[in-house]
Amino acid sequence: MDMQNIESQFTELKSQLDALSKKTPEDKCSMVVFSGDLDKVLAAFVIATGAVAMGMDAVMFFTFWGTSMLRDKAKSVGGKDIMSKMFGAMLPKGTSQTKLSQMNMGGMGTAMMKSLMKKKNVASLEQFLEMAEELGVRIFVCEMTMDLMGFKREEMIDYKNLEFCGVARFLEEAANSKVQLFI
Amino acid sequence: MSDDIKVDKVFDLKGLPCPMPVVKVSKGIKEVEIGQVIEALSTDPGALSDFPAWARTSGNEILKTEQEDDVIKFYIKRNV
């Protein structure tokens, strides 16, 4: 075989390999956090922080009921219409107001679970959020939900890797992730 | 401490449940040099399967696992 032929085959192989490596998923865990329940979001944070420990990147896309708890309790913004005000008042503001998906029993079950978690040294949602920030877990917040429920960017928590985005931005990450979850 | 393994740093993770043991160890192992060994103490029964899984994924090596009562001791060599 002549040298030129080998060279052209090599170039072709190389470009094929480049194209292939772009398609290979990264060591990344992408999840949709749809739920705003204490227990489910807790699970999401355990997986996200665990993923970082396993050497993966972690992305959490908060949408629908999940979005509400990312509001900062200490912040308040004006200029909302009546529907937005109602939604704002009825949904948990901040991680501390989230409830269990089961056995809430008018808040008693949630209080019991929280005290049990403390006793068993299980990190609280507040601690998980702090830890996630420190570990570089990225949080995406769904713009459509923000608009639908009348949340404003100014009332959301301060978090280093927080991004307001739409579904395409999430799917870009998810398509490149080995692990994808919906919680 | 095990007789034949020289430990460079000890991490006491007793009382910490999932996912804290692997989170702490994945951060802590970077505090020693490659080739050095850390000892991690855990009371989380899940750590028995979690640490080997973490080691296989991260490329580090569990040299030895010991169990005394409720405490599990891992000797982990930093390979990467």
Side-chain angles (χ1 to χ4, degrees), chain A residues 3-22:
Chain A
M3 209 50 200
Q4 204 159 14
N5 196 2
I6 293 177
E7 219 165 88
S8 75
Q9 279 193 352
F10 179 78
T11 320
E12 195 186 326
L13 264 173
K14 198 170 170 287
S15 69
Q16 278 181 358
L17 199 68
D18 283 348
L20 210 63
S21 66
K22 268 183 209 138

Side-chain angles (χ1 to χ4, degrees), chain A residues 2-51:
Chain A
D2 63 284
M3 209 50 200
Q4 204 159 14
N5 196 2
I6 293 177
E7 219 165 88
S8 75
Q9 279 193 352
F10 179 78
T11 320
E12 195 186 326
L13 264 173
K14 198 170 170 287
S15 69
Q16 278 181 358
L17 199 68
D18 283 348
L20 210 63
S21 66
K22 268 183 209 138
K23 282 186 187 164
T24 313
E26 295 162 30
D27 269 339
K28 190 156 51 184
C29 173
S30 297
M31 31 184 141
V32 177
V33 185
F34 183 90
S35 168
D37 296 324
L38 167 65
D39 40 7
K40 294 183 188 179
V41 180
L42 191 76
F45 272 110
V46 171
I47 298 168
T49 51

Side-chain angles (χ1 to χ4, degrees), chain B residues 2 5 11-12 17 20 23 25 28 31 33 36-37 39 43-44 46 49 51 58 67-68 74 80:
Chain B
S2 192
I5 300 170
F11 290 90
D12 186 353
M20 296 318 295
V23 169
V25 157
E31 292 171 24
E33 303 292 326
Q36 289 188 319
V37 175
E39 180 185 332
T43 47
D44 174 21
S49 59
F51 274 84
S58 64
Q67 204 164 358
E68 269 171 45
F74 296 95
V80 283

Side-chain angles (χ1 to χ4, degrees), chain B residues 43-67:
Chain B
T43 47
D44 174 21
L48 276 173
S49 59
D50 270 7
F51 274 84
W54 166 79
R56 283 193 295 272
T57 310
S58 64
N60 294 295
E61 188 184 350
I62 296 179
L63 302 174
K64 197 175 177 185
T65 307
E66 283 174 356
Q67 204 164 358

Side-chain angles (χ1 to χ4, degrees), chain A residues 1-179:
Chain A
M1 224 194 283
D2 63 284
M3 209 50 200
Q4 204 159 14
N5 196 2
I6 293 177
E7 219 165 88
S8 75
Q9 279 193 352
F10 179 78
T11 320
E12 195 186 326
L13 264 173
K14 198 170 170 287
S15 69
Q16 278 181 358
L17 199 68
D18 283 348
L20 210 63
S21 66
K22 268 183 209 138
K23 282 186 187 164
T24 313
E26 295 162 30
D27 269 339
K28 190 156 51 184
C29 173
S30 297
M31 31 184 141
V32 177
V33 185
F34 183 90
S35 168
D37 296 324
L38 167 65
D39 40 7
K40 294 183 188 179
V41 180
L42 191 76
F45 272 110
V46 171
I47 298 168
T49 51
V52 176
M54 295 292 275
M56 306 168 89
D57 277 344
V59 178
M60 305 170 89
F61 181 59
F62 282 77
T63 185
F64 227 85
W65 307 116
T67 316
S68 175
M69 78 181 68
L70 294 179
R71 292 182 299 158
D72 193 326
K73 221 163 61 174
K75 293 179 190 171
S76 63
V77 284
K80 289 191 179 188
D81 59 34
I82 189 94
M83 284 295 269
S84 300
K85 273 185 192 159
M86 262 169 59
F87 259 112
M90 283 189 298
L91 291 167
K93 190 167 187 182
T95 46
S96 63
Q97 290 184 3
T98 53
K99 298 184 189 85
L100 286 178
S101 64
Q102 290 179 44
M103 292 171 62
N104 181 47
M105 300 182 290
M108 209 167 69
T110 296
M112 275 162 69
M113 182 59 78
K114 280 186 181 174
S115 90
L116 200 62
M117 279 164 62
K118 207 169 197 172
K119 197 175 146 204
K120 302 262 185 190
N121 268 324
V122 175
S124 63
L125 269 191
E126 295 74 42
Q127 288 168 321
F128 264 119
L129 199 57
E130 213 172 286
M131 196 162 35
E133 182 173 37
E134 195 192 315
L135 291 171
V137 173
R138 286 180 290 154
I139 288 184
F140 288 0
V141 184
C142 172
E143 277 284 15
M144 190 262 263
T145 308
M146 294 279 292
D147 184 49
L148 188 67
M149 302 199 176
F151 301 154
K152 299 196 173 170
R153 289 188 179 198
E154 304 85 67
E155 62 180 316
M156 305 312 272
I157 52 161
D158 298 313
Y159 185 94
K160 202 163 55 185
N161 287 304
L162 189 126
E163 197 179 309
F164 296 95
C165 64
V167 72
R169 179 76 186 90
F170 169 72
L171 285 172
E172 180 192 22
E173 297 287 337
N176 279 315
S177 301
K178 281 183 179 162
V179 180

